[in-house]
Amino acid sequence: MYSDTISISYFRKDAAFDTLYPIHIRELSQMHWTGLDISLEASNFLATPGARILDIGSGVGKFCIASGVYHPEATFYGIEQREALFNYAESAKAQIGVPNVQFMHGNLTNLDYDLFDHFYFFNPFYENIEPSIRIDYNVNTSFDLYNYYTLFIYEMLNKRPAGTRLVTFHAPEKQIPISYQLMNNSYSPVLKMWIKK
Ligand SMILES: C[S@@+](CC[C@H](N)C(=O)[O-])C[C@H]1O[C@@H](n2cnc3c(N)ncnc32)[C@H](O)[C@@H]1O
């Protein structure tokens, strides 16, 4: 972990970290952004030395920024479809000053997945089938999009080389190809660590 005292104060608890964001973003934290304890567990598994790790649907960047601070030996990337959330992620990254984190604004279907070694997946498509948990109304949601994105990620994961690491959080197991072996879910039943065979 970095020794900068300003940064460390943000990592004592989630409420402290969330002060990096405006109030309406903080209010979404418990439901939509990965907590610090989960980020630590997930990144401990994903951050092999030199690895490039992609957060599939990175929101306001909480997973990437926390993981980047916990693991300077790896690089954490985030792709986010909502421009406002991407901008909040960039702002939080600048406030923390973490160099090994990169955010991209765009749709995850327009990405070259060969650029990444391992993946973090916090059920990013659920708001397509559960309107009550929508983050905002700035993107379209539908059952068709849920199926399209779910299949896209399934096929992408299936094509990755043996040894690819994946952490899923609150994701149904049927979304994960059978070629991935469950290695650990002892910290929480909804936090699962996988390696491709
Ligand atoms: C549950 S939030 C998780 C945020 C972040 N991974 C974290 O753990 O703090 C899921 C995010 O995925 C984004 N997302 C969903 N579908 C996407 C798509 N097709 N392309 C890019 N981002 C997407 C949503 O906009 C949302 O910000």
Side-chain angles (χ1 to χ4, degrees):
M1 177 161 334
Y2 298 108
S3 58
D4 179 83
T5 48
I6 298 171
S7 294
I8 284 171
S9 68
Y10 286 111
F11 290 85
R12 296 219 164 93
K13 53 184 183 174
D14 283 294
F17 190 96
D18 292 348
T19 62
L20 291 164
Y21 305 107
I23 285 173
H24 74 284
I25 294 295
R26 289 180 216 173
E27 286 170 351
L28 296 169
S29 189
Q30 204 168 2
M31 171 76 74
H32 290 286
W33 321 134
T34 300
L36 295 174
D37 63 326
I38 298 292
S39 295
L40 180 60
E41 291 295 321
S43 61
N44 283 348
F45 180 74
L46 292 169
T48 56
R52 302 158 300 176
I53 296 145
L54 177 70
D55 180 4
I56 299 170
S58 47
V60 293
K62 190 168 176 182
F63 169 78
C64 285
I65 293 169
S67 298
V69 168
Y70 296 142
H71 287 284
E73 75 278 18
T75 305
F76 293 84
Y77 297 84
I79 176 76
E80 172 54 49
Q81 64 180 343
R82 290 175 160 101
E83 189 170 14
L85 302 190
F86 161 79
N87 287 332
Y88 290 130
E90 288 279 54
S91 165
K93 177 188 148 183
Q95 289 177 74
I96 294 290
V98 56
N100 54 322
V101 172
Q102 298 289 332
F103 293 113
M104 298 164 281
H105 171 229
N107 197 293
L108 57 84
T109 53
N110 299 321
L111 209 52
D112 178 0
Y113 284 83
D114 288 340
L115 297 175
F116 310 105
D117 303 299
H118 307 311
F119 301 92
Y120 178 69
F121 186 80
F122 177 5
N123 200 0
F125 312 134
Y126 195 54
E127 64 178 323
N128 283 288
I129 56 172
E130 182 46 73
S132 69
I133 61 129
R134 277 187 83 133
I135 292 174
D136 59 33
Y137 289 86
N138 295 333
V139 295
N140 293 326
T141 57
S142 69
F143 282 97
D144 283 349
L145 276 175
Y146 179 85
N147 290 331
Y148 173 62
Y149 290 146
T150 300
L151 182 62
F152 180 91
I153 290 298
Y154 185 97
E155 289 179 342
M156 179 281 288
L157 289 173
N158 218 8
K159 285 189 222 141
R160 304 314 305 158
T164 298
R165 289 174 179 238
L166 168 70
V167 172
T168 58
F169 188 43
H170 289 286
E173 283 203 12
K174 64 182 178 200
Q175 292 185 359
I176 311 307
I178 196 145
S179 52
Y180 283 74
Q181 186 175 356
L182 182 62
M183 307 302 290
N184 193 343
N185 70 335
S186 58
Y187 184 77
S188 158
V190 293
L191 182 70
K192 295 182 179 159
M193 304 180 188
W194 312 78
I195 296 184
K196 188 161 190 281
K197 289 182 269 179

Coordinates of all heavy atoms in Angstrom, one line a residue, residues 126-183:
Y126 N -27.5 -6.3 -14.1 CA -28.7 -6.6 -13.3 C -29.8 -5.5 -13.5 O -31.0 -5.8 -13.5 CB -28.4 -6.8 -11.9 CG -29.5 -7.5 -11.1 CD1 -30.0 -8.7 -11.5 CD2 -30.0 -6.9 -9.9 CE1 -31.1 -9.3 -10.8 CE2 -31.0 -7.5 -9.2 CZ -31.5 -8.7 -9.7 OH -32.6 -9.3 -8.9
E127 N -29.3 -4.2 -13.6 CA -30.4 -3.1 -13.7 C -31.2 -3.2 -15.0 O -32.2 -2.6 -15.1 CB -29.7 -1.8 -13.5 CG -28.8 -1.4 -14.6 CD -28.2 0.0 -14.4 OE1 -28.9 0.9 -14.0 OE2 -27.0 0.2 -14.8
N128 N -30.7 -4.1 -15.9 CA -31.5 -4.3 -17.1 C -32.8 -5.1 -16.8 O -33.8 -5.0 -17.6 CB -30.7 -5.0 -18.2 CG -29.7 -4.1 -18.9 OD1 -30.2 -3.2 -19.7 ND2 -28.5 -4.2 -18.6
I129 N -32.8 -5.9 -15.8 CA -33.9 -6.8 -15.5 C -34.6 -6.4 -14.2 O -35.6 -7.0 -13.8 CB -33.5 -8.3 -15.5 CG1 -32.4 -8.6 -14.6 CG2 -33.2 -8.7 -16.9 CD1 -32.1 -10.1 -14.4
E130 N -34.0 -5.5 -13.4 CA -34.6 -5.1 -12.1 C -34.6 -3.5 -12.1 O -33.7 -2.9 -11.6 CB -33.7 -5.6 -11.0 CG -34.2 -5.3 -9.6 CD -35.7 -5.5 -9.5 OE1 -36.2 -6.7 -9.4 OE2 -36.5 -4.5 -9.4
P131 N -35.7 -2.9 -12.6 CA -35.8 -1.5 -12.7 C -35.6 -0.7 -11.4 O -35.1 0.4 -11.4 CB -37.1 -1.2 -13.3 CG -37.6 -2.5 -13.9 CD -36.9 -3.6 -13.2
S132 N -36.0 -1.4 -10.3 CA -35.9 -0.7 -9.0 C -34.5 -0.3 -8.5 O -34.3 0.5 -7.7 CB -36.6 -1.5 -7.9 OG -35.9 -2.7 -7.7
I133 N -33.5 -1.0 -9.2 CA -32.1 -0.7 -8.7 C -31.4 0.2 -9.8 O -30.1 0.2 -9.8 CB -31.4 -1.9 -8.4 CG1 -31.2 -2.9 -9.6 CG2 -32.0 -2.6 -7.2 CD1 -29.8 -3.3 -9.8
R134 N -32.1 0.8 -10.7 CA -31.4 1.6 -11.7 C -30.5 2.7 -11.1 O -30.9 3.3 -10.2 CB -32.4 2.3 -12.6 CG -33.0 1.4 -13.7 CD -33.9 2.2 -14.6 NE -33.1 2.9 -15.6 CZ -33.4 3.0 -16.9 NH1 -34.4 2.4 -17.3 NH2 -32.6 3.7 -17.7
I135 N -29.3 2.8 -11.7 CA -28.4 3.9 -11.2 C -28.9 5.2 -11.6 O -28.9 6.2 -10.8 CB -27.0 3.6 -11.8 CG1 -26.4 2.4 -11.1 CG2 -26.1 4.8 -11.5 CD1 -25.1 1.9 -11.7
D136 N -29.4 5.4 -12.9 CA -30.0 6.6 -13.4 C -30.7 6.3 -14.7 O -30.8 5.1 -15.0 CB -28.9 7.7 -13.6 CG -27.8 7.3 -14.6 OD1 -28.1 6.5 -15.5 OD2 -26.7 7.7 -14.4
Y137 N -31.2 7.3 -15.4 CA -31.9 7.1 -16.6 C -31.1 7.5 -17.8 O -31.7 7.8 -18.9 CB -33.3 7.8 -16.5 CG -34.2 7.1 -15.6 CD1 -34.2 7.4 -14.2 CD2 -35.1 6.1 -16.0 CE1 -35.0 6.7 -13.3 CE2 -35.9 5.4 -15.1 CZ -35.8 5.7 -13.7 OH -36.6 5.1 -12.8
N138 N -29.8 7.5 -17.7 CA -28.9 8.0 -18.8 C -28.6 6.9 -19.8 O -27.9 7.2 -20.8 CB -27.7 8.6 -18.2 CG -28.0 9.9 -17.4 OD1 -29.0 10.5 -17.7 ND2 -27.2 10.2 -16.4
V139 N -28.9 5.7 -19.5 CA -28.7 4.6 -20.5 C -29.9 3.8 -20.7 O -30.8 3.7 -19.8 CB -27.5 3.7 -20.1 CG1 -26.2 4.4 -20.1 CG2 -27.8 3.0 -18.8
N140 N -30.1 3.1 -21.8 CA -31.2 2.3 -22.0 C -31.0 1.0 -21.3 O -29.9 0.5 -21.1 CB -31.4 1.9 -23.5 CG -31.8 3.1 -24.3 OD1 -32.5 4.0 -23.8 ND2 -31.3 3.2 -25.5
T141 N -32.1 0.4 -20.8 CA -32.1 -0.9 -20.1 C -33.2 -1.7 -20.7 O -34.2 -1.2 -21.1 CB -32.3 -0.8 -18.6 OG1 -33.5 -0.2 -18.3 CG2 -31.1 -0.1 -17.9
S142 N -33.0 -3.1 -20.8 CA -34.0 -4.0 -21.4 C -33.6 -5.4 -21.1 O -32.4 -5.7 -20.9 CB -34.2 -3.7 -22.9 OG -33.1 -4.2 -23.6
F143 N -34.5 -6.3 -21.2 CA -34.2 -7.7 -21.1 C -33.3 -8.1 -22.3 O -32.4 -9.0 -22.1 CB -35.5 -8.6 -21.1 CG -36.2 -8.5 -19.8 CD1 -37.3 -7.7 -19.6 CD2 -35.8 -9.4 -18.8 CE1 -37.9 -7.6 -18.3 CE2 -36.5 -9.4 -17.6 CZ -37.5 -8.5 -17.3
D144 N -33.6 -7.6 -23.4 CA -32.7 -7.9 -24.6 C -31.3 -7.5 -24.4 O -30.3 -8.3 -24.7 CB -33.2 -7.2 -25.9 CG -34.5 -7.9 -26.4 OD1 -34.8 -9.0 -26.0 OD2 -35.1 -7.3 -27.3
L145 N -31.0 -6.3 -23.8 CA -29.7 -5.9 -23.5 C -29.0 -6.8 -22.4 O -27.9 -7.2 -22.5 CB -29.6 -4.5 -23.0 CG -29.6 -3.4 -24.1 CD1 -29.7 -2.0 -23.4 CD2 -28.4 -3.5 -24.9
Y146 N -29.8 -7.2 -21.4 CA -29.3 -8.1 -20.4 C -28.8 -9.4 -21.1 O -27.7 -9.9 -20.8 CB -30.4 -8.5 -19.4 CG -30.0 -9.4 -18.3 CD1 -29.3 -9.0 -17.2 CD2 -30.2 -10.8 -18.5 CE1 -28.9 -9.9 -16.2 CE2 -29.8 -11.7 -17.5 CZ -29.1 -11.2 -16.4 OH -28.7 -12.1 -15.4
N147 N -29.6 -10.0 -22.0 CA -29.2 -11.2 -22.6 C -28.0 -11.0 -23.6 O -27.1 -11.8 -23.6 CB -30.4 -11.8 -23.4 CG -31.5 -12.3 -22.5 OD1 -31.2 -12.8 -21.4 ND2 -32.7 -12.3 -22.9
Y148 N -28.0 -9.9 -24.3 CA -26.9 -9.6 -25.2 C -25.6 -9.5 -24.5 O -24.6 -10.1 -24.8 CB -27.3 -8.3 -26.0 CG -26.2 -7.8 -26.9 CD1 -25.7 -8.5 -27.9 CD2 -25.7 -6.5 -26.6 CE1 -24.7 -8.0 -28.7 CE2 -24.7 -6.0 -27.4 CZ -24.2 -6.8 -28.5 OH -23.2 -6.3 -29.3
Y149 N -25.6 -8.6 -23.4 CA -24.3 -8.4 -22.7 C -23.9 -9.7 -21.9 O -22.7 -10.0 -21.9 CB -24.5 -7.3 -21.6 CG -24.7 -5.9 -22.2 CD1 -25.6 -5.0 -21.6 CD2 -24.0 -5.5 -23.3 CE1 -25.7 -3.7 -22.0 CE2 -24.2 -4.2 -23.8 CZ -25.0 -3.3 -23.2 OH -25.2 -2.1 -23.7
T150 N -24.8 -10.4 -21.4 CA -24.5 -11.6 -20.6 C -23.8 -12.6 -21.6 O -22.8 -13.2 -21.2 CB -25.7 -12.2 -20.0 OG1 -26.3 -11.3 -19.1 CG2 -25.4 -13.5 -19.2
L151 N -24.4 -12.8 -22.8 CA -23.8 -13.7 -23.7 C -22.5 -13.2 -24.2 O -21.5 -14.0 -24.4 CB -24.8 -13.9 -24.9 CG -24.3 -14.9 -26.0 CD1 -24.2 -16.3 -25.4 CD2 -25.3 -14.9 -27.2
F152 N -22.4 -11.9 -24.4 CA -21.1 -11.3 -24.9 C -20.0 -11.7 -23.9 O -18.9 -12.1 -24.3 CB -21.2 -9.8 -25.1 CG -20.0 -9.1 -25.6 CD1 -19.8 -9.0 -26.9 CD2 -19.0 -8.7 -24.6 CE1 -18.6 -8.4 -27.4 CE2 -17.8 -8.1 -25.1 CZ -17.6 -8.0 -26.4
I153 N -20.2 -11.4 -22.6 CA -19.2 -11.7 -21.6 C -18.9 -13.2 -21.5 O -17.7 -13.6 -21.4 CB -19.6 -11.1 -20.3 CG1 -19.5 -9.5 -20.4 CG2 -18.7 -11.5 -19.1 CD1 -18.2 -8.9 -20.7
Y154 N -19.9 -14.0 -21.6 CA -19.7 -15.5 -21.5 C -18.8 -15.9 -22.6 O -17.8 -16.7 -22.4 CB -21.1 -16.1 -21.6 CG -21.1 -17.6 -21.5 CD1 -21.4 -18.2 -20.2 CD2 -20.8 -18.5 -22.5 CE1 -21.4 -19.6 -20.1 CE2 -20.7 -19.8 -22.4 CZ -21.0 -20.4 -21.1 OH -21.0 -21.7 -21.0
E155 N -19.1 -15.4 -23.8 CA -18.2 -15.9 -25.0 C -16.8 -15.3 -24.9 O -15.8 -16.0 -25.2 CB -18.9 -15.5 -26.3 CG -20.1 -16.3 -26.5 CD -20.9 -15.9 -27.8 OE1 -20.6 -14.8 -28.4 OE2 -21.7 -16.8 -28.3
M156 N -16.7 -14.1 -24.4 CA -15.4 -13.5 -24.2 C -14.6 -14.3 -23.2 O -13.4 -14.7 -23.5 CB -15.5 -12.0 -23.8 CG -14.2 -11.3 -23.5 SD -13.4 -11.6 -22.0 CE -14.5 -10.8 -20.8
L157 N -15.2 -14.6 -22.1 CA -14.5 -15.4 -21.0 C -14.1 -16.7 -21.6 O -13.0 -17.2 -21.2 CB -15.4 -15.5 -19.8 CG -15.6 -14.2 -19.0 CD1 -16.6 -14.5 -17.9 CD2 -14.3 -13.7 -18.4
N158 N -14.9 -17.3 -22.3 CA -14.7 -18.7 -22.8 C -13.5 -18.7 -23.8 O -12.8 -19.7 -23.9 CB -15.9 -19.2 -23.6 CG -16.1 -20.7 -23.3 OD1 -15.5 -21.3 -22.5 ND2 -17.1 -21.2 -24.1
K159 N -13.2 -17.6 -24.4 CA -12.0 -17.5 -25.4 C -10.7 -17.1 -24.7 O -9.7 -17.2 -25.3 CB -12.3 -16.4 -26.4 CG -13.4 -16.8 -27.4 CD -13.4 -15.8 -28.6 CE -14.9 -15.5 -28.9 NZ -15.2 -14.1 -29.2
R160 N -10.7 -16.8 -23.4 CA -9.5 -16.4 -22.8 C -8.6 -17.6 -22.5 O -9.1 -18.7 -22.4 CB -9.8 -15.7 -21.4 CG -10.7 -14.5 -21.4 CD -10.4 -13.5 -22.6 NE -9.0 -13.0 -22.6 CZ -8.4 -12.5 -23.6 NH1 -9.0 -12.5 -24.8 NH2 -7.1 -12.1 -23.5
P161 N -7.3 -17.4 -22.5 CA -6.4 -18.5 -22.3 C -6.4 -19.1 -20.9 O -6.9 -18.5 -20.0 CB -5.0 -17.9 -22.5 CG -5.2 -16.4 -22.3 CD -6.6 -16.1 -22.6
A162 N -6.0 -20.4 -20.8 CA -5.9 -21.1 -19.5 C -5.1 -20.2 -18.6 O -4.1 -19.6 -19.0 CB -5.2 -22.4 -19.7
G163 N -5.5 -20.2 -17.3 CA -4.8 -19.4 -16.3 C -5.4 -18.1 -16.1 O -5.1 -17.4 -15.1
T164 N -6.4 -17.7 -16.9 CA -7.1 -16.4 -16.7 C -7.8 -16.4 -15.4 O -8.5 -17.4 -15.1 CB -8.1 -16.1 -17.9 OG1 -7.4 -16.0 -19.1 CG2 -8.9 -14.9 -17.6
R165 N -7.7 -15.4 -14.6 CA -8.3 -15.3 -13.3 C -9.6 -14.4 -13.4 O -9.6 -13.4 -14.2 CB -7.4 -14.7 -12.2 CG -6.3 -15.7 -11.9 CD -5.3 -15.2 -10.9 NE -4.4 -16.3 -10.6 CZ -4.1 -16.7 -9.4 NH1 -4.6 -16.1 -8.4 NH2 -3.2 -17.7 -9.3
L166 N -10.6 -14.8 -12.7 CA -11.9 -14.1 -12.7 C -12.4 -14.0 -11.3 O -12.4 -15.0 -10.6 CB -12.8 -14.8 -13.6 CG -14.3 -14.4 -13.6 CD1 -14.5 -13.0 -14.2 CD2 -15.2 -15.4 -14.3
V167 N -12.8 -12.8 -10.9 CA -13.6 -12.7 -9.6 C -15.0 -12.2 -9.9 O -15.1 -11.2 -10.7 CB -12.9 -11.8 -8.6 CG1 -13.8 -11.5 -7.4 CG2 -11.6 -12.3 -8.2
T168 N -16.0 -12.9 -9.5 CA -17.4 -12.5 -9.6 C -18.0 -12.1 -8.3 O -17.6 -12.7 -7.2 CB -18.3 -13.6 -10.3 OG1 -18.2 -14.8 -9.5 CG2 -17.8 -13.9 -11.7
F169 N -18.8 -11.1 -8.3 CA -19.4 -10.6 -7.0 C -20.9 -10.5 -7.3 O -21.3 -9.8 -8.3 CB -18.8 -9.3 -6.6 CG -19.3 -8.7 -5.3 CD1 -19.4 -9.6 -4.2 CD2 -19.5 -7.4 -5.1 CE1 -19.7 -9.1 -2.9 CE2 -19.9 -6.9 -3.9 CZ -20.0 -7.7 -2.8
H170 N -21.8 -11.2 -6.6 CA -23.2 -11.2 -6.9 C -23.6 -11.6 -8.3 O -24.5 -11.0 -8.9 CB -23.8 -9.9 -6.5 CG -23.8 -9.5 -5.1 ND1 -24.7 -10.1 -4.2 CD2 -23.1 -8.7 -4.3 CE1 -24.5 -9.7 -3.0 NE2 -23.5 -8.8 -3.0
A171 N -22.8 -12.5 -8.9 CA -23.1 -12.9 -10.3 C -23.6 -14.4 -10.3 O -23.0 -15.2 -9.7 CB -21.9 -12.8 -11.1
P172 N -24.7 -14.6 -11.0 CA -25.2 -16.0 -11.1 C -24.1 -16.9 -11.8 O -23.5 -16.5 -12.8 CB -26.4 -15.9 -12.0 CG -26.7 -14.5 -12.1 CD -25.5 -13.7 -11.8
E173 N -24.0 -18.1 -11.2 CA -22.9 -19.1 -11.7 C -23.2 -19.4 -13.2 O -22.2 -19.7 -13.9 CB -22.9 -20.3 -10.9 CG -22.1 -20.1 -9.6 CD -21.6 -21.3 -8.9 OE1 -21.5 -22.4 -9.6 OE2 -21.2 -21.2 -7.8
K174 N -24.4 -19.4 -13.6 CA -24.7 -19.8 -15.0 C -24.1 -18.8 -16.0 O -24.0 -19.1 -17.2 CB -26.2 -20.0 -15.2 CG -27.0 -18.8 -15.1 CD -28.5 -19.0 -15.3 CE -29.3 -17.7 -15.1 NZ -30.6 -17.9 -14.8
Q175 N -23.7 -17.6 -15.5 CA -23.1 -16.7 -16.4 C -21.6 -17.0 -16.7 O -21.0 -16.3 -17.5 CB -23.2 -15.3 -15.9 CG -24.7 -14.7 -15.9 CD -24.8 -13.3 -15.4 OE1 -23.8 -12.6 -15.1 NE2 -26.0 -12.8 -15.4
I176 N -21.1 -18.0 -16.0 CA -19.6 -18.3 -16.0 C -19.4 -19.6 -16.8 O -20.0 -20.6 -16.5 CB -19.0 -18.4 -14.6 CG1 -19.4 -17.3 -13.7 CG2 -17.5 -18.6 -14.7 CD1 -19.1 -15.9 -14.3
P177 N -18.6 -19.6 -17.9 CA -18.4 -20.8 -18.7 C -17.8 -21.9 -17.8 O -17.1 -21.7 -16.8 CB -17.3 -20.4 -19.7 CG -17.4 -18.9 -19.7 CD -17.8 -18.4 -18.4
I178 N -18.2 -23.1 -18.2 CA -17.8 -24.3 -17.4 C -16.3 -24.5 -17.4 O -15.7 -25.2 -16.5 CB -18.5 -25.6 -18.0 CG1 -18.5 -26.7 -16.9 CG2 -18.0 -26.0 -19.3 CD1 -19.7 -27.5 -16.9
S179 N -15.6 -23.9 -18.3 CA -14.1 -23.9 -18.4 C -13.5 -23.2 -17.2 O -12.3 -23.3 -17.0 CB -13.6 -23.4 -19.7 OG -14.2 -22.1 -19.9
Y180 N -14.2 -22.5 -16.4 CA -13.7 -21.8 -15.2 C -13.9 -22.7 -14.0 O -15.1 -23.1 -13.7 CB -14.3 -20.4 -15.1 CG -13.7 -19.4 -16.0 CD1 -14.1 -19.5 -17.4 CD2 -12.8 -18.5 -15.6 CE1 -13.6 -18.6 -18.3 CE2 -12.3 -17.6 -16.5 CZ -12.6 -17.6 -17.9 OH -12.1 -16.7 -18.8
Q181 N -12.8 -22.9 -13.2 CA -12.9 -23.7 -12.0 C -13.0 -22.8 -10.8 O -12.2 -21.9 -10.7 CB -11.7 -24.6 -11.9 CG -11.7 -25.5 -10.8 CD -10.5 -26.5 -10.8 OE1 -9.7 -26.4 -11.7 NE2 -10.4 -27.3 -9.8
L182 N -14.0 -23.0 -10.0 CA -14.2 -22.3 -8.7 C -13.0 -22.6 -7.8 O -12.9 -23.8 -7.4 CB -15.5 -22.5 -8.1 CG -15.8 -21.8 -6.8 CD1 -15.9 -20.3 -7.1 CD2 -17.2 -22.2 -6.2
M183 N -12.3 -21.6 -7.4 CA -11.1 -21.8 -6.5 C -11.4 -21.5 -5.1 O -10.8 -22.1 -4.1 CB -9.9 -21.0 -7.0 CG -9.5 -21.1 -8.4 SD -9.2 -22.8 -8.9 CE -7.6 -23.1 -8.1

